[in-house]
């Protein structure tokens, strides 16, 4: 009976550990690129095309064309392809109303319905759509509204 009890406890611990790992993997944090730099912040900025003050609902991270764009958390791909203004776009739902977007990709390496892991390559950096050079436009949406991605990127450095 004690052996059965221990086995039951181990199964519960394993289930709990798996659930905690899943929660940790779904936690949105880190940079969506392996190399590059922040080239445009979240908020109002001078539009590079019109020269007018416009809202920028994400951050731009510039780098070398063809470099990796990675998922910042595990989730399900809900968009993979062209979208007006965004060029080649990957959108990933992470649960709890959180969605991340990776835009202007040269190529997309996932399709709608794919389960992606944290740090998995989802696209390659490019300059498609409304873009002035190779970069990824990275957005974090909470219940359909953009939030400052830098807060999520900074989580990884704590």
């Amino acid at each position: 009976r004690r052996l059965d009890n221990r086995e039951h406890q181990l199964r519960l611990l394993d289930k709990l550990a798996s659930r905690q790992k899943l929660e940790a993997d779904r936690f949105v944090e880190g940079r969506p690129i392996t190399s590059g730099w922040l080239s445009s912040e979240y908020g109002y900025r001078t539009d590079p095309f019109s020269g007018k003050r416009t809202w920028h609902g994400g951050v731009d991270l510039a780098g070398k064309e063809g470099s990796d764009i990675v998922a910042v958390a595990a989730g399900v791909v809900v968009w993979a392809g062209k979208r007006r203004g965004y060029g080649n776009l990957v959108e990933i739902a992470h649960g709890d109303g959180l969605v991340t977007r990776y835009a202007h990709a040269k190529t997309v390496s996932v399709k709608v319905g794919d389960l992606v892991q944290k740090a998995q390559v989802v696209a390659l950096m490019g300059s498609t759509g409304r873009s002035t050079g190779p970069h990824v436009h990275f957005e974090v949406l909470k219940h359909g509204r953009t939030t400052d991605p830098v807060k999520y990127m900074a989580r990884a450095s704590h």
Side-chain angles (χ1 to χ4, degrees):
R1 195 158 29 105
R2 195 163 41 181
L3 196 58
D4 283 345
N5 189 27
R6 287 282 187 260
E7 188 179 354
H8 178 70
Q9 285 176 336
L10 283 172
R11 280 206 184 109
L12 285 173
L13 280 171
D14 186 49
K15 204 181 278 185
L16 182 64
S18 295
R19 195 171 295 143
Q20 284 174 334
K21 179 169 179 2
L22 179 65
E23 286 302 310
D25 287 350
R26 276 186 43 227
F27 187 71
V28 175
E29 69 173 353
R31 291 162 45 101
I33 55 173
T34 49
S35 67
W37 62 96
L38 184 70
S39 59
S40 188
E41 294 183 13
Y42 178 81
Y44 284 99
R45 69 171 187 177
T46 302
D47 184 279
F49 290 96
S50 69
K52 294 189 171 106
R53 189 169 183 264
T54 54
W55 178 254
H56 187 231
V59 295
D60 292 342
L61 296 140
K64 192 167 160 251
E65 182 166 343
S67 59
D68 291 345
I69 297 172
V70 297
V72 295
V76 178
V77 177
V78 292
W79 184 279
K82 290 194 184 327
R83 188 182 291 176
R84 189 164 184 257
Y86 287 98
N88 292 324
L89 171 71
V90 174
E91 199 170 278
I92 302 169
H94 306 284
D96 299 326
L98 272 178
V99 171
T100 53
R101 282 184 183 151
Y102 312 79
H104 307 302
K106 179 179 184 169
T107 57
V108 169
S109 356
V110 291
K111 57 190 184 313
V112 172
D114 282 358
L115 236 62
V116 295
Q117 302 302 310
K118 187 180 195 76
Q120 179 179 330
V121 175
V122 295
L124 297 180
M125 192 178 293
S127 186
T128 60
R130 200 167 179 274
S131 169
T132 57
H135 75 286
V136 59
H137 171 81
F138 176 55
E139 290 182 13
V140 177
L141 294 100
K142 182 107 172 112
H143 302 295
R145 300 181 69 121
T146 62
T147 60
D148 189 349
V150 169
K151 289 189 290 192
Y152 294 92
M153 289 164 46
R155 282 176 164 186
S157 55
H158 293 309

